[in-house]
Amino acid sequence: MNIRDNLLNVNTWIRALYIVFFWILLGLVGWILGAVVVVQFLIVLFTGERNTRLVGFGDNLGEYLRQIAAFICFADDEKPFPFSDFPDNSDED
């Protein structure tokens, strides 16, 4: 393929739209993860124990961020949530 064919490849331009969408989502999920960190810290600070639901949710968010990064960097062609299932690492323990 030559450069002209590459520039006219519709699939590449559709991927670009997905990349913009997931890049925006990446920022939003980063803020959500930050909120989870603050809440978990406050729970540990006041109770001395971790909230296991927040631990699991934070783990799933981390995996989701990894999936987004892999997709937008062309390391993976599978589109993350909402185009596939949200990561669930609860059965890995």
Side-chain angles (χ1 to χ4, degrees), residues 4-81:
R4 184 177 189 285
D5 291 338
N6 291 338
L7 291 173
L8 297 176
N9 187 336
V10 174
N11 292 330
T12 303
W13 289 105
I14 290 172
R15 175 94 180 221
L17 293 175
Y18 282 119
I19 288 171
V20 169
F21 170 74
F22 282 114
W23 195 354
I24 293 168
L25 203 55
L26 187 69
L28 177 65
V29 173
W31 278 99
I32 294 170
L33 184 61
V36 169
V37 168
V38 169
V39 170
Q40 184 73 283
F41 176 78
L42 292 174
I43 289 171
V44 170
L45 185 64
F46 291 112
T47 69
E49 297 180 11
R50 299 181 300 168
N51 181 303
T52 55
R53 287 185 176 171
L54 277 180
V55 168
F57 183 62
D59 188 38
N60 292 340
L61 276 179
E63 175 62 19
Y64 184 49
L65 289 169
R66 188 206 62 75
Q67 288 176 359
I68 291 173
F71 179 77
I72 66 176
C73 292
F74 288 81
D76 192 354
D77 289 332
E78 184 176 343
K79 292 184 272 312
F81 178 83

